[in-house]
Amino acid sequence: MNTSDQYQRKIVTIVTEAAIETQLSKDLEALQATGYTITDARGKGSRGVRNAGWETSGNIRIEVICDTTLADKIANYVKEKYYKNYAMVIFMSDVVVLRPDKF
Amino acid sequence: MNTSDQYQRKIVTIVTEAAIETQLSKDLEALQATGYTITDARGKGSRGVRNAGWETSGNIRIEVICDTTLADKIANYVKEKYYKNYAMVIFMSDVVVLRPDKF
Amino acid sequence: MNTSDQYQRKIVTIVTEAAIETQLSKDLEALQATGYTITDARGKGSRGVRNAGWETSGNIRIEVICDTTLADKIANYVKEKYYKNYAMVIFMSDVVVLRPDKF
Amino acid sequence: MRLPPQIYEFVSILLLLAIGLKGGVELAKQPFLTLVPDMLAVIVMGFALPVLAYPVLLQLGKFKRADAASIAAHYGSVSVGTFAVAVAYFGTIEVFYEEHLPLLLVLLEVPAILIGILLARGFSNQTKWSSVAHEVFLGKGIVLLLGGLVIGWVAGPEGLTSVEPLFFDLFKGILAIFLLEMGLIASSQIAGLRKYGLFIVIFGIVMPLFSALIGCGLGLLLELSIGGTAMLAILAASASYIAVPAAMRISVPEANPTLSLTASLGVTFPFNVIIGIPLYLELAKVMHAFFKG
Amino acid sequence: MRLPPQIYEFVSILLLLAIGLKGGVELAKQPFLTLVPDMLAVIVMGFALPVLAYPVLLQLGKFKRADAASIAAHYGSVSVGTFAVAVAYFGTIEVFYEEHLPLLLVLLEVPAILIGILLARGFSNQTKWSSVAHEVFLGKGIVLLLGGLVIGWVAGPEGLTSVEPLFFDLFKGILAIFLLEMGLIASSQIAGLRKYGLFIVIFGIVMPLFSALIGCGLGLLLELSIGGTAMLAILAASASYIAVPAAMRISVPEANPTLSLTASLGVTFPFNVIIGIPLYLELAKVMHAFFKG
Amino acid sequence: MRLPPQIYEFVSILLLLAIGLKGGVELAKQPFLTLVPDMLAVIVMGFALPVLAYPVLLQLGKFKRADAASIAAHYGSVSVGTFAVAVAYFGTIEVFYEEHLPLLLVLLEVPAILIGILLARGFSNQTKWSSVAHEVFLGKGIVLLLGGLVIGWVAGPEGLTSVEPLFFDLFKGILAIFLLEMGLIASSQIAGLRKYGLFIVIFGIVMPLFSALIGCGLGLLLELSIGGTAMLAILAASASYIAVPAAMRISVPEANPTLSLTASLGVTFPFNVIIGIPLYLELAKVMHAFFKG
Ligand SMILES: Nc1ncnc2c1ncn2[C@@H]1O[C@H](COP(=O)(O)O)[C@@H](O)[C@H]1O
Ligand SMILES: Nc1ncnc2c1ncn2[C@@H]1O[C@H](COP(=O)(O)O)[C@@H](O)[C@H]1O
Ligand SMILES: Nc1ncnc2c1ncn2[C@@H]1O[C@H](COP(=O)(O)O)[C@@H](O)[C@H]1O
Ligand code: NA
Ligand code: NA
Ligand code: NA
């Protein structure tokens, strides 16, 4: 592949409570993310075991691909708004995408 | 861990429509990927909201670990074949694996 | 975002048989991981196709965020204990986290 | 509020099996060969309906070729949900219909898909017919309906008494759950309606009316009873929202899937269930009175 | 051993619909307007119970404001599972109760949520009432109960004979499955018990007893039958573990969700199902004998 | 076409509970102590069968030690699906069998697992017996069968009338769904057959025949009725495909799981369901006639 077709972006991954999926999706749209991908998850962290057994007790794992500026903006916004009261982990890493206009 | 046990590879992640899971798996095998991992997903992108509510309206998230050459080959092949007509996102990043012979 | 708020960590991802989820979780806790995230998965590798059709025939995908030392320790421990007899893939990559005390 | 997808799938499986079993039991009562003319005629109808719909969609609807072909295929095929409602309705008001109609339902699923692909592609070599066939013939709909038919046929009425509580007594309750979910899905298609506008709405109502007329005519030709004629009209009028969308997505990917789903699920399905079924029964009565005297 | 979550959800859906349908059928037999006083009185009770519980939780329980408000909301609302057990129990021992109790059940779901949010927040502008309303009124519980009521009302007894096998004949079997799963969930809350200690246990038993008294009193005031009075006591005594937790998690996120779930699911639910229901029936009998002579 | 896994799990849960309940109700009719000899004898059989199969697998089959031990364990344990088919079949052709057979089914699940681990490991300290016990005794199979037995025992026939529609009337319909899915799973094991070859096929047919003989013999010794003897033969002949594979995967991970599943699910299960069950009944008749006169 011609490297000129490859573009650096960030991927922000948020693991949090399924209960706030709707709210969080709206937040991401408001922050102008071009899209997001959600998978159902379970796990353990400082707030104990979370699994999908009981209604909203499961986790979700949201990924957003975007540029560095937006990645920082998303991470900070979500951190400010949700960290204190919800089980949540946020991390970021580098990815290469093929169509820069999409993200 | 002895760093001599760690080897650089690429991970190609494709998020796309569940409808083409069978076809895409065959493509990956034809391209000589040694394996792949699939999770069910939902999300939003330029083609609107996609969730698992209606039969094949959900997304899948496919990960392939391989070397750089194959990663580029897979990304390009899949892009050519599916980008135009299917909801799809492709991205790549660096990973370290323990057993180089596997990938 | 102020870069002083961002900290380098590793993410270890293990894709393996759903049958050993309980055991593996206990191992991770014993190794002092602060948490983990699990999603259900299916896939193909050197041990053939694995999907969630038949009871424990599915895969799981476990992610652990931690520092480099623990990442190596986890990868090596899991490799020693399970590689020989279970379908399994382990890989690692770099991530940036916001709250270093959590991991 | 949505049903978990696995439950929706289970409920569909139960409905498909129940319809198949019911049909199979009845089918056993008559010699198979006498059915062959009806079967052939219905297959011809399955090819004809999309061919008739296609130019309208292309010319009046101004759709792209692929979209016109895909929508045409949806309306040539059938909706098992609509048929199940008709079965329940005819049962309640005690209208007789021929026992081989579930068989005709199965036969009608397929031809429209082939025609849809041909209309979109021509006789291109690119189409992987083998994977289309795999998709269609090993799809849930056909496997379960045919499976039910064969089992019902072999087992006969006595053989099935022991599974009656699940498949027959619960039929209407399960259908109710199914319709609940279908209603929720259909209403989520309304956003699409606003986008694709008036033509889709008109087509989604006029096309089934027209197909019902053809179905009725064919029923008369084949000398079916009033109920059987009405059922054939219902099959003709109904539009697929499971088998055809899945096949089209793979074989004609450039067709916009929400376009055809909006029409078949957002307009035609509710229209048929609420207004169409009793209407087509009246139509069958009138036409029988007129032609058979 | 756990039920797959989708099955648990399906079983809840069937129970909610069955209770709604049953109530709707009965409701059709009497003029709606005569019910209005009961409806209003019950709504007042739904506001009053959390207001009474709140200071106790704050003062005696030493809980944070948000936690006290959230727990209070749980106990002001109702548990459909508890009501379903009571329906089955009253059916078996043939105790009559008024047919509009499912309607009162629906009405009781909501006020406690509003009060809970107000207790935690005051009349703050920060609360997004629109999304709270969305959460509550489009939640599974209310949609299915109300939907069932309306359908049962419109269809009437004859209209429902065809779905009886699924919704009425299977009711107790499905309830058994539901209780099995609830028991497993409840027992997984016991860890929480150890953590939050004795007060939660005492509150989880004393609060329903107190609420049952109020429910009984209100039943007498409204001149309900013995069974109806007991049912109202059961509604008052039961604590929510589905609608309220979901609403609180979003509206009062600083409240600890395991605290309230431990109380309502780990203590009050089993207490009500095993001891409470027959006890409240006895209470209703005694109070009726005493006050009505 | 596959059932959603959650539905398959639900259907298994219903079958297990139904068998347990049925057995429990019957069990209540007789003093428990009289059953102890049968229970002990059956446990001995559960230990003996894998011990007999192991050397054959090792010597003739040329399997690795772990594989031989694991396969032996599968054949020493039981298949609830096979038992359910036999229950339905005996019900239809009205063959009596002793009411405590579901209890024997539960007892047979466990010993083979212990023996399998011992055969693979010797009396090694490495085996985490506590986690094996946890896996086995808290597994779906034993919890639901035992739970059903206890509930049926306590509730008695009248206590269960209200759940009959779900657990008894639907039994055969649910079994049909279960078998449909099992057939699909079994047929997906055929690929494995080609790989592991002829020995697996022969073993998968001869072993159950041999076990059925032993089961019949034991039935005669214990003076069971013809039906009870046949049922014991069926239990002996059936091979586990749920509890044992799960336990072996964790305790003897070096055993190849597809090897044993191919045999038990791909060969023995269909053989037993189609040919074995009526055959073992004939065998029981013949042996009864011969030995009891
Ligand atoms: N160290 C970690 N590695 C991976 N996932 C984690 C980690 N810590 C927490 N998580 C995930 O994030 C969720 C919330 O974390 P917490 O807020 O720490 O309870 C957990 O339920 C896990 O799914
Ligand atoms: N910026 C993004 N970040 C993460 N996932 C995305 C993004 N854009 C699209 N996706 C995912 O890719 C799928 C297809 O995207 P699209 O083709 O843009 O509709 C969506 O349904 C999302 O699951
Ligand atoms: N090259 C690969 N890329 C991504 N996932 C893989 C790869 N190879 C194996 N896997 C995953 O790891 C599981 C076990 O792999 P294996 O032990 O090779 O059978 C497979 O079922 C896949 O889900
Ligand atoms: Na049609
Ligand atoms: Na209450
Ligand atoms: Na056996």
Side-chain angles (χ1 to χ4, degrees):
Chain A
M1 179 188 279
N2 191 325
T3 49
S4 64
D5 283 357
Q6 304 197 339
Y7 305 83
Q8 295 288 337
R9 291 289 181 278
K10 292 281 175 189
I11 185 163
V12 183
T13 306
I14 307 168
V15 180
T16 190
E17 307 185 9
I20 55 171
E21 174 170 338
T22 314
Q23 268 185 59
L24 208 48
S25 314
K26 281 189 195 145
D27 290 338
L28 293 176
E29 284 163 39
L31 290 165
Q32 312 273 317
T34 59
Y36 50 81
T37 296
I38 305 182
T39 48
D40 291 318
R42 53 192 175 279
K44 189 170 169 172
S46 58
R47 287 174 182 252
V49 173
R50 300 190 49 79
N51 60 51
W54 175 250
E55 300 275 306
T56 44
S57 81
N59 280 341
I60 51 173
R61 183 182 181 281
I62 308 190
E63 289 173 314
V64 190
I65 305 164
C66 52
D67 60 31
T68 311
T69 326
L70 184 53
D72 287 346
K73 216 165 111 190
I74 289 173
N76 276 334
Y77 181 88
V78 171
K79 179 182 167 187
E80 288 308 317
K81 182 160 172 194
Y82 297 105
Y83 251 20
K84 214 178 125 234
N85 292 318
Y86 294 96
M88 180 175 278
V89 153
I90 307 181
F91 55 92
M92 273 184 270
S93 60
D94 296 316
V95 292
V96 159
V97 299
L98 303 189
R99 299 190 301 178
D101 48 300
K102 264 191 93 96
F103 308 99
Chain B
M1 179 187 280
N2 191 323
T3 48
S4 64
D5 283 358
Q6 304 197 339
Y7 305 84
Q8 296 288 337
R9 290 289 181 279
K10 292 280 175 190
I11 186 163
V12 183
T13 307
I14 306 168
V15 180
T16 189
E17 306 185 9
I20 56 171
E21 174 169 340
T22 313
Q23 268 186 58
L24 207 48
S25 314
K26 281 188 197 148
D27 291 338
L28 293 175
E29 284 163 39
L31 290 165
Q32 311 274 318
T34 58
Y36 50 82
T37 296
I38 305 182
T39 47
D40 291 318
R42 52 191 176 279
K44 189 170 170 172
S46 57
R47 286 174 182 253
V49 173
R50 299 191 49 80
N51 60 50
W54 176 250
E55 301 275 306
T56 45
S57 81
N59 280 342
I60 52 172
R61 181 183 183 281
I62 307 191
E63 289 174 314
V64 190
I65 304 164
C66 51
D67 60 29
T68 312
T69 326
L70 185 52
D72 287 345
K73 217 166 111 189
I74 289 173
N76 276 335
Y77 181 88
V78 171
K79 181 183 165 186
E80 288 308 316
K81 183 161 172 194
Y82 298 105
Y83 251 22
K84 213 179 126 237
N85 292 318
Y86 294 97
M88 180 175 279
V89 153
I90 308 180
F91 55 92
M92 273 185 270
S93 61
D94 296 316
V95 292
V96 158
V97 299
L98 303 189
R99 299 190 301 178
D101 49 300
K102 265 191 92 94
F103 308 99
Chain C
M1 179 188 279
N2 190 324
T3 48
S4 64
D5 282 358
Q6 302 198 340
Y7 305 83
Q8 295 289 336
R9 289 291 181 278
K10 292 280 176 189
I11 186 162
V12 183
T13 306
I14 307 168
V15 180
T16 189
E17 306 184 11
I20 56 172
E21 174 169 339
T22 313
Q23 269 185 59
L24 207 48
S25 314
K26 280 188 197 147
D27 290 338
L28 293 176
E29 284 163 39
L31 290 165
Q32 311 274 317
T34 59
Y36 50 83
T37 297
I38 305 181
T39 47
D40 291 318
R42 53 190 175 279
K44 189 171 170 172
S46 57
R47 287 175 181 252
V49 173
R50 299 190 50 79
N51 60 51
W54 175 249
E55 301 275 305
T56 44
S57 81
N59 280 342
I60 51 172
R61 183 182 182 280
I62 307 191
E63 289 173 313
V64 189
I65 304 163
C66 51
D67 59 30
T68 311
T69 326
L70 185 53
D72 287 346
K73 217 166 111 190
I74 289 173
N76 275 334
Y77 181 88
V78 171
K79 180 183 165 187
E80 287 308 317
K81 184 162 173 194
Y82 298 105
Y83 252 19
K84 213 178 125 237
N85 292 318
Y86 294 96
M88 180 176 278
V89 153
I90 308 180
F91 55 92
M92 273 185 270
S93 61
D94 296 316
V95 292
V96 158
V97 300
L98 302 189
R99 298 190 302 179
D101 49 300
K102 265 190 92 95
F103 308 98
Chain D
M1 230 300 296
R2 283 289 298 274
L3 231 54
Q6 296 83 355
I7 299 301
Y8 169 76
E9 203 181 325
F10 184 45
V11 159
S12 322
I13 288 175
L14 288 177
L15 282 187
L16 287 162
L17 269 179
I19 291 176
L21 287 172
K22 222 172 236 172
V25 167
E26 298 298 326
L27 220 50
K29 296 180 187 159
Q30 61 192 113
F32 186 71
L33 274 185
T34 62
L35 306 176
V36 173
D38 288 16
M39 293 166 65
L40 291 178
V42 142
I43 290 176
V44 171
M45 183 175 83
F47 282 115
L49 287 176
V51 170
L52 294 169
Y54 179 66
V56 176
L57 290 158
L58 214 54
Q59 306 293 323
L60 288 185
K62 310 243 177 286
F63 288 116
K64 286 189 308 179
R65 179 173 174 179
D67 285 326
S70 168
I71 301 176
H74 282 69
Y75 281 83
S77 187
V78 286
S79 142
V80 177
T82 311
F83 184 71
V85 174
V87 166
Y89 178 64
F90 281 29
T92 306
I93 61 171
E94 296 183 0
V95 169
F96 167 84
Y97 56 91
E98 277 77 7
E99 33 289 300
H100 60 291
L101 270 144
L103 183 63
L104 304 185
L105 168 74
V106 179
L107 293 176
L108 269 173
E109 288 230 29
V110 182
I113 294 176
L114 306 182
I115 288 293
I117 298 173
L118 287 179
L119 289 173
R121 293 255 171 288
F123 287 91
S124 135
N125 299 338
Q126 261 197 299
T127 307
K128 295 209 191 103
W129 290 106
S130 76
S131 70
V132 171
H134 191 273
E135 191 70 23
V136 170
F137 290 109
L138 295 183
K140 202 175 58 182
I142 294 204
V143 167
L144 289 170
L145 279 172
L146 266 190
L149 275 172
V150 170
I151 296 173
W153 197 339
V154 170
E158 328 74 45
L160 288 186
T161 43
S162 58
V163 298
E164 257 177 26
L166 179 58
F167 291 110
F168 298 165
D169 301 353
L170 294 190
F171 183 76
K172 289 188 190 168
I174 288 170
L175 180 60
I177 302 274
F178 178 82
L179 288 177
L180 187 100
E181 176 69 6
M182 288 302 297
L184 293 166
I185 297 175
S187 70
S188 73
Q189 302 290 330
I190 289 176
L193 272 188
R194 227 168 290 147
K195 201 157 134 207
Y196 301 116
L198 199 62
F199 182 82
I200 278 291
V201 180
I202 295 174
F203 182 83
I205 292 175
V206 173
M207 179 69 200
L209 290 173
F210 168 76
S211 302
L213 261 178
I214 294 197
C216 264
L218 189 61
L220 286 176
L221 265 180
L222 298 174
E223 311 217 302
L224 297 182
S225 65
I226 292 186
T229 305
M231 274 292 188
L232 197 56
I234 289 164
L235 287 182
S238 74
S240 172
Y241 44 78
I242 298 182
V244 180
M248 287 298 128
R249 195 74 200 102
I250 293 192
S251 318
V252 189
E254 66 273 30
N256 179 350
T258 55
L259 203 57
S260 35
L261 259 188
T262 302
S264 80
L265 203 56
V267 182
T268 303
F269 177 74
F271 173 76
N272 276 335
V273 165
I274 298 170
I275 301 173
I277 291 176
L279 186 71
Y280 308 148
L281 179 57
E282 282 317 303
L283 183 67
K285 282 183 191 162
V286 170
M287 283 177 70
H288 254 257
F290 190 82
F291 288 104
K292 303 270 153 157
Chain E
M1 233 298 299
R2 284 288 299 275
L3 232 55
Q6 296 83 355
I7 299 300
Y8 169 76
E9 204 181 324
F10 184 46
V11 160
S12 321
I13 288 175
L14 288 178
L15 282 186
L16 287 163
L17 270 180
I19 291 177
L21 288 172
K22 223 171 233 171
V25 167
E26 297 298 325
L27 222 51
K29 296 180 187 160
Q30 61 191 112
F32 186 72
L33 274 185
T34 62
L35 305 176
V36 172
D38 289 16
M39 292 166 66
L40 291 178
V42 142
I43 290 176
V44 170
M45 184 176 82
F47 282 114
L49 287 176
V51 170
L52 294 169
Y54 179 66
V56 176
L57 290 157
L58 213 54
Q59 306 293 324
L60 289 184
K62 311 246 176 284
F63 288 117
K64 286 188 308 179
R65 180 172 174 179
D67 284 326
S70 168
I71 301 176
H74 282 69
Y75 281 83
S77 186
V78 286
S79 143
V80 177
T82 311
F83 184 72
V85 174
V87 166
Y89 178 63
F90 281 30
T92 306
I93 61 171
E94 297 185 358
V95 169
F96 167 83
Y97 56 91
E98 278 76 8
E99 34 289 300
H100 60 292
L101 270 143
L103 183 63
L104 303 185
L105 168 74
V106 179
L107 293 175
L108 268 173
E109 288 231 29
V110 182
I113 294 175
L114 305 182
I115 288 293
I117 298 173
L118 287 179
L119 290 173
R121 294 256 171 285
F123 288 90
S124 135
N125 299 338
Q126 262 196 297
T127 306
K128 295 210 189 104
W129 290 106
S130 77
S131 71
V132 171
H134 191 272
E135 191 69 24
V136 171
F137 290 109
L138 295 184
K140 200 174 59 181
I142 295 203
V143 167
L144 288 170
L145 279 172
L146 267 190
L149 276 171
V150 170
I151 296 174
W153 198 338
V154 171
E158 327 74 46
L160 288 187
T161 43
S162 57
V163 298
E164 257 175 27
L166 179 58
F167 291 110
F168 298 165
D169 301 354
L170 294 189
F171 183 75
K172 288 187 192 169
I174 288 170
L175 181 59
I177 302 272
F178 178 82
L179 287 178
L180 187 100
E181 176 69 7
M182 287 302 297
L184 293 167
I185 297 174
S187 72
S188 74
Q189 301 290 328
I190 289 176
L193 272 188
R194 226 168 289 146
K195 199 157 135 209
Y196 301 116
L198 199 61
F199 181 81
I200 278 290
V201 180
I202 296 174
F203 181 83
I205 292 174
V206 174
M207 180 69 201
L209 290 172
F210 168 77
S211 302
L213 260 178
I214 294 196
C216 264
L218 189 62
L220 286 175
L221 265 179
L222 298 174
E223 311 218 300
L224 296 182
S225 64
I226 292 186
T229 304
M231 274 291 187
L232 196 56
I234 289 164
L235 287 182
S238 74
S240 172
Y241 44 77
I242 298 182
V244 180
M248 287 297 128
R249 196 74 199 101
I250 292 192
S251 319
V252 189
E254 66 273 30
N256 179 349
T258 55
L259 203 57
S260 35
L261 258 188
T262 302
S264 79
L265 204 56
V267 182
T268 303
F269 177 74
F271 172 77
N272 276 334
V273 165
I274 298 171
I275 301 173
I277 292 176
L279 186 71
Y280 308 148
L281 179 57
E282 282 317 304
L283 183 69
K285 281 181 190 162
V286 169
M287 283 178 70
H288 253 258
F290 192 82
F291 288 104
K292 305 268 150 156
Chain F
M1 231 298 299
R2 284 289 298 275
L3 231 55
Q6 296 84 355
I7 299 301
Y8 169 76
E9 205 181 323
F10 184 46
V11 159
S12 323
I13 289 175
L14 288 177
L15 281 186
L16 288 162
L17 269 179
I19 291 176
L21 288 171
K22 222 171 236 172
V25 167
E26 297 298 326
L27 221 50
K29 296 179 188 160
Q30 61 191 114
F32 186 71
L33 274 185
T34 61
L35 306 176
V36 172
D38 288 15
M39 293 167 65
L40 291 178
V42 141
I43 291 177
V44 171
M45 184 176 82
F47 282 115
L49 287 176
V51 170
L52 293 169
Y54 178 66
V56 176
L57 290 158
L58 214 53
Q59 305 293 325
L60 289 185
K62 309 245 178 284
F63 288 117
K64 287 189 308 178
R65 180 173 174 178
D67 284 324
S70 168
I71 301 176
H74 281 69
Y75 282 83
S77 186
V78 286
S79 143
V80 177
T82 311
F83 183 71
V85 174
V87 166
Y89 178 64
F90 282 29
T92 307
I93 61 170
E94 297 184 357
V95 168
F96 167 84
Y97 57 90
E98 278 77 8
E99 35 288 300
H100 60 292
L101 270 145
L103 183 63
L104 304 185
L105 167 73
V106 178
L107 292 176
L108 269 173
E109 287 230 30
V110 182
I113 294 175
L114 305 182
I115 289 292
I117 299 174
L118 287 178
L119 289 173
R121 294 255 169 287
F123 287 91
S124 136
N125 298 338
Q126 261 195 299
T127 307
K128 295 210 189 104
W129 290 106
S130 77
S131 72
V132 171
H134 192 272
E135 189 70 23
V136 171
F137 290 109
L138 295 184
K140 201 174 60 181
I142 295 204
V143 167
L144 288 170
L145 279 173
L146 266 190
L149 275 172
V150 170
I151 296 173
W153 197 339
V154 171
E158 328 75 46
L160 288 187
T161 43
S162 56
V163 298
E164 256 176 29
L166 179 58
F167 290 109
F168 298 164
D169 301 353
L170 294 190
F171 183 75
K172 289 187 190 170
I174 288 170
L175 180 60
I177 302 274
F178 178 81
L179 288 177
L180 186 100
E181 175 69 6
M182 288 301 297
L184 293 166
I185 297 175
S187 70
S188 74
Q189 301 289 329
I190 289 175
L193 272 187
R194 226 168 290 147
K195 200 157 137 208
Y196 301 117
L198 199 62
F199 182 81
I200 278 291
V201 180
I202 296 174
F203 181 83
I205 292 175
V206 174
M207 180 69 200
L209 290 173
F210 168 77
S211 302
L213 261 177
I214 294 197
C216 264
L218 189 62
L220 286 175
L221 265 180
L222 297 174
E223 312 216 302
L224 297 183
S225 65
I226 292 186
T229 305
M231 274 291 188
L232 197 56
I234 289 163
L235 287 181
S238 74
S240 172
Y241 44 78
I242 298 182
V244 180
M248 287 298 128
R249 195 75 201 102
I250 292 192
S251 317
V252 189
E254 66 274 30
N256 179 349
T258 54
L259 204 56
S260 35
L261 259 188
T262 302
S264 79
L265 203 56
V267 182
T268 304
F269 177 74
F271 173 76
N272 277 335
V273 165
I274 298 170
I275 302 173
I277 291 176
L279 187 71
Y280 308 148
L281 179 56
E282 282 317 304
L283 183 68
K285 281 182 191 162
V286 170
M287 284 178 71
H288 253 256
F290 191 82
F291 288 105
K292 304 269 151 157

